[in-house]
Amino acid sequence: DAMVIQNPRYQVTQFGKPVTLSCSQTLNHNVMYWYQQKSSQAPKLLFHYYDKDFNNEADTPDNFQSRRPNTSFCFLDIRSPGLGDAAMYLCATSRDLRADQPQHFGDGTRLSIL
Amino acid sequence: AQKITQTQPGMFVQEKEAVTLDCTYDTSDPSYGLFWYKQPSSGEMIFLIYQGSYDQQNATEGRYSLNFQKARKSANLVISASQLGDSAMYFCAMRGSLSNDYKLSFGAGTTVTVRA
């Protein structure tokens, strides 16, 4: 089945130690997104790629970076994680940015900071 | 800018009964899409159903149906014959057609607990 796959499912890192979360898709969608979701809140968009074009949300901290080396893969890099970065990180894809296109999400990576 | 409002933080429903989750929205976009997602406690976000703003008929997808009232700007989700596996957080979301409205705007969510 075509899908969005996130690895790992759970990630533990130390305060200030860089961490990378990965996402891959077999849907061949043009757009890939990264969301941060804290407990009992709605997901918050960090950034998205339309093909190779990177679009950062205005309020995304500089600590968060992303890479999309090819259509299938997208990475979220947190350069110096702080305790406030502990959250669920969701990757999503969509065919394009049209209003009728749903976003398809992966299972998420739950990040803990020690 | 778009705004989604879900006024029910939590709901209880008896197994096999129907439940309606409220969603109202505000937008100046002439065309937009409305979506419902389910998020179980395990965390994955599952796409349930889509309604286009120009669709004449209400969307249905298995046990899920969307009660779309455009004039009232509401897009309520109806889950029929509730099952224990329906216990989850449900998010209403929308996406506009204007170039700056590509983002999926989410409501605060409604937690549904199905009782046996």
Side-chain angles (χ1 to χ4, degrees), chain A residues 33 37 57 100-101 103, chain B residues 37 39 42 50 95 102-103:
Chain A
Y33 310 80
Q37 186 182 25
E57 293 302 303
D100 64 347
Q101 293 298 311
Q103 292 184 16
Chain B
Y37 287 86
Q39 189 174 39
S42 48
Y50 160 79
R95 195 173 192 180
Y102 58 86
K103 290 198 290 188

Side-chain angles (χ1 to χ4, degrees), chain A residues 9 33 35 37 41-43 45 48 57 88 90 94 96-107 110, chain B residues 31-35 37 39 41-47 50 89 91 95-97 101-104 106-108:
Chain A
R9 194 86 163 87
Y33 310 80
Y35 288 86
Q37 186 182 25
Q41 296 182 18
L45 183 64
H48 76 274
E57 293 302 303
M88 172 73 91
L90 293 163
S94 66
D96 53 43
L97 295 175
R98 292 185 320 184
D100 64 347
Q101 293 298 311
Q103 292 184 16
H104 299 272
F105 287 79
D107 288 348
R110 204 175 291 273
Chain B
S31 169
Y32 48 89
L34 295 155
F35 306 85
Y37 287 86
Q39 189 174 39
S41 57
S42 48
E44 67 270 31
M45 189 78 82
I46 302 164
F47 166 62
Y50 160 79
M89 176 81 94
F91 288 99
R95 195 173 192 180
S97 57
D101 289 334
Y102 58 86
K103 290 198 290 188
L104 199 58
F106 288 91

Side-chain angles (χ1 to χ4, degrees), chain A residues 39-95:
Chain A
S39 183
S40 301
Q41 296 182 18
K44 178 179 180 293
L45 183 64
L46 295 173
F47 25 59
H48 76 274
Y49 273 95
Y50 193 122
D51 288 334
K52 296 180 180 179
D53 292 334
F54 177 69
N55 296 272
N56 200 27
E57 293 302 303
D59 55 356
T60 297
D62 293 340
N63 201 23
F64 291 86
Q65 308 273 312
S66 185
R67 296 170 283 136
R68 189 179 185 187
N70 54 52
T71 301
S72 301
F73 285 87
C74 195
F75 300 97
L76 169 62
D77 301 309
I78 308 177
R79 291 191 298 186
S80 182
L83 296 179
D85 297 329
M88 172 73 91
Y89 289 88
L90 293 163
C91 174
T93 74
S94 66
R95 192 181 310 277

